[in-house]
Amino acid sequence: MRYDLDDLRLFLHIVDEGSITAGAHRMHLSLPSASARVRSLERHAGVALLIRGRRGVRPTPAGTTLARHARDVLVRTARLESAVASYTRSPNAPLILLGGGSAMHRLVPRALVSFLRAHPEVDVTVSESRTPQTVRMLTDGEADLGVVLDDEARDCGLHLEPLGDDSLVVIGQAGGVLAGRTALTYGEVAEHPLVGLDADSSLRRWIEKHLGPHAPVVRYRTTVANLNVLVALVVAGVGLAVVPRRAIDLHQPLDICELQDPWARRHHLLAWGVKGRASPTAIAALAEHLRQAALSEPSSRNAHGDPIGRRPFPDG
């Protein structure tokens, strides 16, 4: 037994309003037309669906059952239409961009804002991903672009280009334990209470990987999901934190120290997928917006004021 969707919508409006006239008005139908549709529904069902009275109508038990199932049908239909429509919004496959937690903090959002405004016909799917996973997906043709770390991607075989500095620093509340200090080792940092990112975050896992099995024992006052909250806790004096320099707003009341450990000096690279799954023109455009976003960050310039992101790719 099949029912017309418009008839089901009309019936629900009538039940909700308690009036055939009001239901017809919501469907932009005349009263005779709406009444004829209700009678057709009842013939189709083989049972009365409405009890008609001087003050309006109310559903019979069969009408109540039909209304309940009609709502389910219309909700499922709307979901189906939405799911199918999502494939027709853009003539091209969405670009897939991957990056670690540091890149997702400011670099990727800044690039997305400018790119999506400039290219309304192109969609972008963005996911946080550690460098080894990003490299694998780019190599397997599952992504178009990735922001990766130099020490984990240098010999991966992908096309790479320098994007910007992503070195780690130590931050603390202004005038606190870091006052007067310019540099510390991680071992010295670990002597103080810290705030950190959640254990499964890409940055936390990267740090722990480089510390190795003999890492100092750390006391975390708390761990949080993103860098914005982490920096806010440090500003409030909750503890010290190790963060990418690019995560810091220069106007925030913080003391900043260099982290002396060699692994703290790292750089972002832009990595290209090998199979070009999306439009080459769109991929190139997104890459340019990532370059410009990197150059606009304070950490993208070295001590001499030269842009880091445009320097020649180092040998080795």
Side-chain angles (χ1 to χ4, degrees):
M1 186 179 293
R2 296 181 179 179
Y3 293 90
D4 182 85
L5 292 180
D6 284 337
D7 288 347
L8 293 180
R9 291 188 181 94
L10 172 63
F11 184 73
L12 286 177
H13 289 323
I14 291 171
V15 170
D16 290 341
E17 297 288 347
S19 164
I20 296 178
T21 301
H25 179 73
R26 290 181 62 176
M27 289 290 292
H28 306 287
L29 297 172
S30 66
L31 178 58
S33 177
S35 297
R37 287 194 176 206
V38 172
R39 289 194 297 270
S40 175
L41 267 178
E42 290 179 318
R43 286 195 302 271
H44 193 59
V47 64
L49 300 174
L50 295 173
I51 299 173
R52 295 159 175 82
R54 289 184 299 175
R55 297 186 177 181
V57 297
R58 56 188 176 87
T60 64
T64 299
T65 298
L66 176 64
R68 182 174 68 251
H69 287 286
R71 292 185 199 280
D72 289 341
V73 168
L74 293 175
V75 167
R76 291 174 183 271
T77 300
R79 289 175 180 169
L80 175 62
E81 291 174 347
S82 177
V84 173
S86 67
Y87 289 95
T88 63
R89 289 173 188 154
S90 173
N92 301 312
L95 302 184
I96 296 181
L97 170 64
L98 307 175
S102 175
M104 293 297 177
H105 179 63
R106 279 205 184 102
L107 173 63
V108 168
R110 183 178 283 123
L112 279 178
V113 167
S114 61
F115 176 81
L116 293 174
R117 285 177 175 171
H119 299 274
E121 76 287 357
V122 182
D123 300 332
V124 183
T125 299
V126 182
S127 298
E128 182 172 336
S129 169
R130 297 181 65 214
T131 292
Q133 180 184 7
T134 297
V135 167
R136 179 188 62 76
M137 293 182 67
L138 290 169
T139 302
D140 292 345
E142 298 175 12
D144 300 299
L145 290 170
V147 181
V148 297
L149 293 172
D150 53 351
D151 73 318
E152 294 183 311
R154 184 59 56 83
D155 299 318
C156 66
L158 296 172
H159 173 67
L160 304 170
E161 62 178 272
L163 198 57
D165 181 62
D166 194 48
S167 295
L168 303 180
V169 295
V170 187
I171 58 174
Q173 185 182 37
V177 297
L178 297 184
R181 303 291 300 270
T182 58
L184 295 90
T185 65
Y186 188 85
E188 292 174 304
V189 176
E191 295 174 0
H192 302 275
L194 303 182
V195 289
L197 294 173
D198 292 340
D200 61 346
S201 69
S202 56
L203 178 59
R204 172 86 173 268
R205 293 176 67 180
W206 189 90
I207 292 174
E208 291 176 350
K209 169 191 170 184
H210 285 79
L211 288 173
H214 304 296
V217 177
V218 173
R219 177 197 170 196
Y220 283 111
R221 298 289 314 281
T222 188
T223 58
V224 296
N226 66 71
L227 285 166
N228 283 328
V229 178
L230 185 68
V231 174
L233 288 169
V234 175
V235 170
V238 175
L240 304 182
V242 175
V243 300
R245 188 187 303 276
R246 68 170 63 250
I248 304 166
D249 185 334
L250 298 180
H251 300 291
Q252 291 172 312
L254 290 167
D255 284 333
I256 305 170
C257 288
E258 299 294 329
L259 193 59
Q260 290 181 314
D261 303 73
W263 50 262
R265 281 169 283 285
R266 60 187 204 167
H267 291 85
H268 274 152
L269 305 177
L270 180 59
W272 297 67
V274 298
K275 295 184 180 179
R277 51 175 301 285
S279 162
T281 301
I283 295 173
L286 179 55
E288 180 58 26
H289 282 263
L290 285 163
R291 296 185 195 104
Q292 294 304 317
L295 287 173
S296 70
E297 298 208 342
S299 61
S300 67
R301 295 183 177 273
N302 61 26
H304 304 289
D306 299 321
I308 295 173
R310 296 296 193 190
R311 73 189 191 290
F313 199 98
D315 294 330

